[in-house]
């Protein structure tokens, strides 16, 4: 199995995962430029999940297995549903890179309109509101009590992000975009006061959770690679770019355009009701999220354009246009602020 040195990993699993019985079968669940996820089945039929960094040359800091393991173990002490952490291997001699093992959680990753069809229409509001309720629980976690007080700086989240991604844009941009300059100027001049500090997931949406399609409840929150400490409203704004709205083009991995889902405004109202937070400037965080994703997407486009990603069948015109669409969406959100 590519990415798994089976004899070494199998021996390690039998020695370090309580109850695991060799031999093991390995199946790749998700791969790509992000972390690789494998379904592992032992001789007794017990299912586990193994996560490791992507193959090839990657920055260790961008795919820190120990950090991700620590995060999920800590969040597991709260009401937020996450898989149970079972073991962490930091010795690259075992599998060429660190990895960790967690419990298997059944559920559906609803990352398309087709996937939304697996959730009964009458449960779609339930699932959407549970998605928000789980986010509210995450933002209510006592950072110090669960051992994440040293995860990152707490204050000035948006300011730090603006500085980081503005620099990234300058280093990776392939052309000048006047709309980008307008967005950066507006975001920089209108940074909301950060009133709270919370665990910020950084990529919170239906596509990064497992949904129980029989109950409409969130079974587990996944993909904690971008998690940090900061302004909790950033997560709420980010969800807005993956939610169908009348004034924006449907995102391909957003299931919310299917009948039965509540509006984004209803989600924001639910979050405000659950947390008591002021959400009057949520469009700022939506604009910020569009802008950040545009910068990230431009970096990916630049790497493909320059041949750094190798020979792949990618439509660069579509990729380039996607960046411009994201910038336009950020500008539209900025202008909604008045």
């Amino acid at each position: 199995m590519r990415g798994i040195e089976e004899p070494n990993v199998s021996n390690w699993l039998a020695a370090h995962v309580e109850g695991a019985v060799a031999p093991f079968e390995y199946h790749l669940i998700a791969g790509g430029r992000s972390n690789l996820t494998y379904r592992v089945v032992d001789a007794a039929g017990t299912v586990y999940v193994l996560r490791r960094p992507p193959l090839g040359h990657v920055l260790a800091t961008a795919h820190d297995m120990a950090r991700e393991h620590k995060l999920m173990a800590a969040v597991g002490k709260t009401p937020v549903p996450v898989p149970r952490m079972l073991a962490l291997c930091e010795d690259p001699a075992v599998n060429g890179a660190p990895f960790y093992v967690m419990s298997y959680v059944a559920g559906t990753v609803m990352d398309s309109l087709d996937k939304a069809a697996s959730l009964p229409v009458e449960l779609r509001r339930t699932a959407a509101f549970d998605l928000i309720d789980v986010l509210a629980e995450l933002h209510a976690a006592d950072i110090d009590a669960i051992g994440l007080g040293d995860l990152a700086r707490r204050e000035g989240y948006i300011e730090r992000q603006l500085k980081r991604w503005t620099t990234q844009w300058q280093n990776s941009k392939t052309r000048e975009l006047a709309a980008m300059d307008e967005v950066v100027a507006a975001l920089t001049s209108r940074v909301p006061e950060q009133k709270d500090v919370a665990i910020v997931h950084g990529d919170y949406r239906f596509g990064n959770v497992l949904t129980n399609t029989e109950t409409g409840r969130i079974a587990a929150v996944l993909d904690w690679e971008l998690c940090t400490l900061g302004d909790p409203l950033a997560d709420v704004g980010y969800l807005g770019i993956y939610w169908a709205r009348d004034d924006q083009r449907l995102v391909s991995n957003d299931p919310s355009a299917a009948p039965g889902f509540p509006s984004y405004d209803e989600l924001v109202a639910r979050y405000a009701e659950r947390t008591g937070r002021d959400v009057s400037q949520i469009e700022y965080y939506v604009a910020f999220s569009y802008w950040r994703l545009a910068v990230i997407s431009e970096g990916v486009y630049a790497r493909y354009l320059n041949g750094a990603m190798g020979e792949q069948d990618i439509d660069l015109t579509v990729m380039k246009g996607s960046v411009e669409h994201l910038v336009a969406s950020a500008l539209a959100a900025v202008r909604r602020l008045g």
Side-chain angles (χ1 to χ4, degrees):
M1 170 64 63
R2 194 161 181 256
I4 298 289
E5 297 181 19
E6 296 192 28
N8 289 353
V9 174
S10 294
N11 289 337
W12 190 92
L13 291 175
H16 293 88
V17 176
E18 185 176 355
V21 183
F24 301 91
E25 296 179 1
Y26 302 89
H27 308 274
L28 182 65
I29 298 174
R33 293 185 299 276
S34 187
N35 290 333
L36 304 179
T37 306
Y38 299 85
R39 185 174 186 265
V40 182
V41 184
D42 78 352
T46 304
V47 182
Y48 306 95
V49 174
L50 184 151
R51 290 262 286 175
R52 60 148 294 157
L55 304 176
H57 178 69
V58 295
L59 292 173
T61 53
H63 303 277
D64 189 336
M65 293 292 98
R67 184 179 187 272
E68 195 171 315
H69 179 274
K70 174 184 177 180
L71 273 166
M72 295 177 73
V75 172
K77 302 172 186 175
T78 75
V80 176
V82 290
R84 187 164 52 92
M85 297 296 100
L86 301 176
L88 168 68
C89 177
E90 297 185 87
D91 182 1
V94 176
N95 196 42
F99 63 90
Y100 66 86
V101 182
M102 56 186 171
S103 64
Y104 171 79
V105 178
T108 299
V109 177
M110 293 202 302
D111 54 3
S112 67
L113 283 173
D114 289 343
K115 291 286 187 67
S118 67
L119 181 66
V121 174
E122 62 271 18
L123 290 180
R124 291 176 187 172
R125 287 183 69 85
T126 299
F129 287 140
D130 199 45
L131 186 71
I132 285 295
D133 291 349
V134 169
L135 185 62
E137 290 285 7
L138 176 65
H139 293 166
D142 186 325
I143 297 167
D144 294 306
I146 64 174
L148 294 180
D150 62 348
L151 182 67
R153 287 176 56 189
R154 304 185 184 208
E155 305 300 334
Y157 173 78
I158 293 293
E159 292 90 339
R160 295 198 313 275
Q161 290 280 304
L162 286 171
K163 181 178 180 181
R164 173 186 177 184
W165 295 109
T166 298
T167 300
Q168 179 70 19
W169 173 258
Q170 294 301 325
N171 291 337
S172 64
K173 66 180 179 179
T174 62
R175 72 272 198 209
E176 297 296 330
L177 291 177
M180 175 62 89
D181 296 334
E182 185 176 345
V183 170
V184 171
L187 291 176
T188 302
S189 65
R190 304 185 65 165
V191 178
E193 177 188 357
Q194 182 176 322
K195 298 178 180 179
D196 296 294
V197 176
I199 300 170
V200 177
H201 181 276
D203 197 7
Y204 192 80
R205 51 192 171 90
F206 264 132
N208 280 333
V209 303
L210 291 168
T211 301
N212 184 326
T213 57
E214 295 182 358
T215 64
R217 300 293 179 182
I218 304 306
V221 181
L222 309 174
D223 295 314
W224 293 82
E225 294 172 68
L226 297 178
C227 184
T228 187
L229 302 182
D231 190 332
L233 293 180
D235 274 339
V236 185
Y238 183 79
L239 185 59
I241 72 176
Y242 286 95
W243 209 266
R245 301 171 78 177
D246 293 338
D247 58 347
Q248 69 186 40
R249 191 173 69 189
L250 181 64
V251 178
S252 62
N253 53 356
D254 162 27
S256 67
F261 285 105
S263 68
Y264 179 63
D265 288 344
E266 289 178 278
L267 296 187
V268 173
R270 175 79 168 211
Y271 181 84
E273 177 187 346
R274 285 294 310 271
T275 65
R277 292 192 171 100
D278 177 6
V279 296
S280 60
Q281 296 191 73
I282 199 62
E283 289 300 335
Y284 178 95
Y285 296 93
V286 173
F288 164 78
S289 298
Y290 270 122
W291 169 76
R292 186 185 72 158
L293 189 56
V295 176
I296 294 171
S297 298
E298 178 75 357
V300 175
Y301 169 65
R303 289 195 293 276
Y304 276 106
L305 192 65
N306 296 325
M309 304 301 291
E311 300 255 348
Q312 298 194 44
D313 186 19
I314 298 290
D315 189 334
L316 293 180
T317 302
V318 171
M319 190 177 288
K320 179 181 180 182
S322 176
V323 174
E324 294 166 2
H325 166 68
L326 289 167
V327 174
S329 297
L331 187 58
V334 162
R335 289 173 175 170
R336 284 196 293 268
L337 289 169

